[in-house]
Amino acid sequence: MHPDSASTAATIRKPRISPGLKAVADEVCGTFARLFAYVGALALIAMLGVAAWNRLDSGDDAPAGRAGWTLADAAVPAFSLRLTDQPDRTATYTVLTHAAGGRKDVLRWGEPADRPAAEIEVYRIGPEREGMRNPVGHLATRLGRHAPELEAAGIIDSRFGPVSLLRQAGAPDGPGACLGFLKTIAVPALRISGWSCQGAALQTRRAAVGCMLNRLTLLSSAGHDPALVELFAQAEPRRADCDAPGLAKTLNDWITALDNPRLRGTF
């Protein structure tokens, strides 16, 4: 057979692909490639969003030492607060400082297993600006080991102006219930927060919170902060009397109960 004839036969036997079918196949492949790229981009955006949310959500609620906070053992107390005229043997004073400049002075009373019976925290907000993020969630984390949800419980007037009150959502009112409070001040950048578990009724705890705020005293060691000194000087004329006989007896009984080892841990 002639070589040209064999070449012609081989050419005839080679399968031919329709240009239209090839175009469809190319389009399908391109569509799948774009689809995979789109899904990958969505997954990347979702992962970045989750990471950013976790960072924001845990910023102010992170324990001391994890979010730039350290325990300042040598720090000099800047505030003083006596709930009653009796010695508060369960009272503790803690100072936390932030690497960016913030400071938290924390006064606590009582030593129950899951939380103190009362606490007040004065947070001088530094450049970290954590005090502006989720203050209610931060208070809930401090108030309960399992971060209970808090709901509004009214407003009281104080020497620092109106103060928001919060209580644990769904918790019955009675002995052992707690009432939280929050007050944010723009100048100086300050947040006063905490709670009281004093008394058997909400009204008594409202009065106890007001008493804590009225009796909070700025010490001379904080004199290097003129804005803080000015704040307390302006608030002094609005200090109210919290020495009513009924409230005084409740506070005295509460302090006595805290001092009695047999009654600790009942809150």
Side-chain angles (χ1 to χ4, degrees):
M1 181 180 294
H2 195 276
D4 292 340
S5 300
S7 176
T8 301
T11 302
I12 293 175
R13 295 190 191 96
K14 185 177 181 180
R16 295 181 179 180
I17 300 177
S18 169
L21 184 59
K22 183 177 180 181
V24 171
D26 291 342
E27 183 65 24
V28 170
C29 291
T31 299
F32 274 106
R34 290 190 294 271
L35 181 62
F36 282 125
Y38 179 71
V39 171
L42 286 180
L44 179 60
I45 293 173
M47 288 188 295
L48 291 175
V50 170
W53 174 261
N54 289 337
R55 182 175 181 181
L56 286 175
D57 188 52
S58 63
D60 197 38
D61 298 335
R66 287 188 54 192
W69 291 100
T70 56
L71 183 63
D73 291 323
V76 178
F79 304 93
S80 174
L81 175 58
R82 287 188 63 118
L83 296 179
T84 70
D85 294 333
Q86 299 183 18
D88 300 340
R89 288 189 288 271
T90 65
T92 61
Y93 198 114
T94 304
V95 177
L96 302 173
T97 56
H98 195 280
R103 169 169 166 151
K104 296 179 180 181
D105 289 68
V106 186
L107 295 87
R108 298 186 179 97
W109 294 265
E111 302 174 17
D114 57 347
R115 65 166 178 262
E119 176 181 300
I120 185 168
E121 177 188 277
V122 183
Y123 176 17
R124 282 182 270 179
I125 306 169
E128 71 280 354
R129 309 304 290 178
E130 290 182 9
M132 304 304 176
R133 285 207 299 261
N134 193 21
V136 175
H138 177 58
L139 178 60
T141 301
R142 288 160 47 202
L143 182 59
R145 180 176 295 176
H146 304 293
E149 182 181 353
L150 299 181
E151 63 181 9
I155 295 175
I156 61 170
D157 196 16
S158 76
R159 56 195 286 227
F160 301 105
V163 176
S164 300
L165 301 178
L166 303 108
R167 62 187 174 192
Q168 293 175 257
D173 184 32
C178 299
L179 186 65
F181 59 92
L182 280 171
K183 175 64 178 178
T184 301
I185 300 171
V187 181
L190 189 77
R191 188 177 74 200
I192 305 175
S193 63
W195 65 83
S196 173
C197 306
Q198 303 164 352
L202 176 62
Q203 191 62 31
T204 304
R205 286 187 287 277
R206 286 171 58 97
V209 168
C211 190
M212 292 171 68
L213 294 170
N214 280 318
R215 291 185 172 181
L216 182 65
T217 303
L218 183 68
L219 299 177
S220 58
S221 57
H224 64 280
D225 190 337
L228 191 61
V229 173
E230 179 65 19
L231 171 68
F232 274 77
Q234 292 179 355
E236 186 61 27
R238 297 193 295 269
R239 184 193 295 269
D241 180 19
C242 61
D243 294 325
L247 179 59
K249 182 180 185 304
T250 298
L251 296 179
N252 286 330
D253 291 345
W254 176 73
I255 291 296
T256 302
L258 288 178
D259 287 341
N260 189 338
R262 293 174 300 175
L263 298 181
R264 289 187 185 179
T266 59
F267 291 92

